[in-house]
Structures are given as C-alpha cells and as structure tokens.
Amino acid sequence: MEELINGNFPDELKALFLGEDGLFPSPQEINYDCSCPNWALMCKHVAAVLYGIAVQFDENPFLFFELRGIDVNRFINVTLQNKVEVMLEHAGDKSERQIEEDKIYQVFGL
C-alpha cells in the first residue's frame, strides 16, 4: 500500500494486476476509436485522452481501483489491519534497536 501511495508499483502486486484475469486490461481488450479523419490508429485525440488518464492516475493512484469497482477504503482498512496484527504478533520480540534498561541512564540520564 505504501509503495502505491508513493507512486511505485510493488512486485507483489504484479500477478494481481498483470496475471490472467488481472486488473489491467489485456492489449486485446483495449480499443482506440476516434471519429476524426486521421487514419492513424492512435491519433492526437486518442493520445491526448491517454495522457489525461495517465495524469489522473499519477495524481490519484487509487483511481484505478475505483474504476474497477474496488472499495479503496476497505482495501486500506484490510491492509492496515493486517499490518497491525503482524506488529502485535511481534510486540514482545526483542529487537536490537531496543535499549537495555540499565543503559537508558547512560544515554538519557534517567
């Protein structure tokens, strides 16, 4: 979730997005159609629309989920809940980042 918020695409989500029946449409599912007289497959109008969509995704990465009918708030809540559960499971674990009680006085004078 943090990676998506920062505009990065995590490797863990590649299968979800790019796999068979993934969230991204396959190239065969994407059609470009414009009524302008330009014969090119991707005329300037289609290119402008694609650019506009890309800008919207850059500004709001969660727009992709919303367009696919995924409740972003529920997605965030489930992710946070999973993160909290993992943190609580390891709350009693010793960490090398913890200062031993007898050393606290040396460091902070307490």
Side-chain angles (χ1 to χ4, degrees), residues 5-43:
I5 291 172
N6 291 326
N8 300 321
F9 191 78
D11 289 336
E12 298 85 28
L13 291 180
K14 282 186 180 177
L16 174 66
F17 281 82
L18 303 174
E20 187 174 329
D21 297 325
L23 293 175
F24 278 142
S26 68
Q28 295 82 3
E29 294 175 300
I30 300 172
N31 296 311
Y32 308 113
D33 190 26
C34 183
S35 61
C36 78
N38 190 331
W39 55 268
L41 175 64
M42 190 179 301
C43 68

Side-chain angles (χ1 to χ4, degrees), residues 40-102:
L41 175 64
M42 190 179 301
C43 68
K44 62 185 174 185
H45 306 105
V46 171
V49 168
L50 292 175
Y51 178 78
I53 292 169
V55 168
Q56 292 298 312
F57 283 147
D58 283 345
E59 291 177 5
N60 180 8
F62 296 115
L63 179 61
F64 182 81
F65 295 103
E66 293 172 25
L67 292 173
R68 286 296 197 180
I70 297 171
D71 182 1
V72 176
N73 290 325
R74 176 160 163 59
F75 188 62
I76 291 170
N77 289 339
V78 168
T79 302
L80 289 175
Q81 184 62 36
N82 291 342
K83 185 98 167 169
V84 167
E85 288 175 8
V86 169
M87 289 171 63
L88 290 175
E89 287 175 9
H90 298 285
D93 296 353
K94 275 286 200 188
S95 168
E96 58 188 47
R97 296 180 297 173
Q98 291 175 313
I99 299 174
E100 299 292 329
E101 287 189 37
D102 59 332

